[in-house]
Amino acid sequence: MMAWIIDLWREDVWYQQLYIISAAIFILCSLLSLCMLRPYSKVAEEIEIEYASYYSKHFFMSFRKKKQRELFRKAEIAVSQFNSLYPLYVLKNWSSQIAIFSFGATFWLVAGSLVYEFFESIPVEDSTYITDYYGGDGSYETAPMDSNGIHHVEPHWVDGYERSDGTTVEGYWRGGEDGYYRSNPDGNPFNNLRP
């Protein structure tokens, strides 16, 4: 198990490292929370007793949520004055909250990365559309690659030549880095990729 975690960490994928960290935080905070359970229970019991004594002095408390929170906080402060285990109570509360948060973070990170890896593992077929097609009016269009009469031209050198009007054209490299698509000659200029 440890070797798998180390290998996962060494892959240097940020989201994998993040859920390893959040899982480690969850485990540490959960263990800390379990260790503090006994002192937490003692302090919580004293807080409940103190709270009950405050609560009994007020009327219609079931409808007064804000007052309930105020009295509970007052009970916590009172118990913190005389109980030396109160810092462990606070530590248990914090560690429980962090454990809950890190569990949620770990869960969603793992779930998200599994979904991401699933979609990444699907083989991507060649695009069914040519991206460098222009219609006869110069507007950008798309043309299906599997349509008949279209072929790919690799980048190549074109030797210099002289046009019929006497203009000399020097040699040049055509097609850039990836080449380009052309329509097969069929005598119909209306289905050409470029005018």
Side-chain angles (χ1 to χ4, degrees):
M1 178 72 170
M2 197 62 176
W4 176 76
I5 292 172
I6 292 169
D7 288 343
L8 202 62
W9 183 268
R10 287 184 181 160
E11 284 182 19
D12 200 28
V13 179
W14 70 268
Y15 58 84
Q16 290 176 343
Q17 292 175 345
L18 200 56
Y19 64 67
I20 289 170
I21 291 169
S22 61
I25 292 171
F26 166 71
I27 292 167
L28 290 174
C29 288
S30 297
L31 290 173
L32 183 63
S33 189
L34 287 172
C35 291
M36 301 296 153
L37 198 56
R38 189 168 181 169
Y40 172 85
S41 299
K42 288 181 180 178
V43 174
E45 187 178 321
E46 288 182 9
I47 289 172
E48 284 298 324
I49 292 168
E50 196 73 25
Y51 174 70
S53 72
Y54 295 144
Y55 189 93
S56 64
K57 296 174 184 173
H58 295 84
F59 297 105
F60 305 110
M61 284 298 291
S62 58
F63 300 109
R64 301 166 65 189
K65 298 296 179 190
K66 186 177 178 183
K67 188 66 175 177
Q68 288 176 19
R69 287 192 298 272
E70 181 185 314
L71 292 177
F72 189 82
R73 184 69 193 125
K74 187 177 176 183
E76 284 183 322
I77 292 168
V79 170
S80 71
Q81 301 294 324
F82 64 84
N83 193 322
S84 61
L85 297 176
Y86 185 78
L88 300 178
Y89 169 84
V90 173
L91 185 61
K92 175 12 177 122
N93 278 339
W94 276 99
S95 61
S96 296
Q97 293 299 319
I98 294 169
I100 290 167
F101 176 78
S102 59
F103 175 79
T106 305
F107 176 82
W108 289 112
L109 281 167
V110 170
S113 66
L114 288 174
V115 170
Y116 175 77
E117 294 290 335
F118 170 76
F119 283 113
E120 278 289 306
S121 68
I122 297 174
V124 179
E125 296 179 13
D126 288 339
S127 174
T128 57
Y129 291 94
I130 297 171
T131 56
D132 61 345
Y133 173 72
Y134 291 84
D137 61 351
S139 62
Y140 180 84
E141 297 179 20
T142 56
M145 282 193 43
D146 59 352
S147 65
N148 294 330
I150 297 173
H151 65 278
H152 184 263
V153 178
E154 295 295 326
H156 60 281
W157 177 257
V158 176
D159 290 327
Y161 61 93
E162 188 174 309
R163 291 185 180 166
S164 60
D165 63 359
T167 306
T168 303
V169 178
E170 294 185 18
Y172 60 95
W173 187 258
R174 186 173 188 183
E177 295 178 4
D178 301 321
Y180 55 95
Y181 290 92
R182 295 297 271 173
S183 53
N184 294 340
D186 60 0
N188 181 1
F190 297 106
N191 65 4
N192 289 347
L193 291 181
R194 292 186 186 271

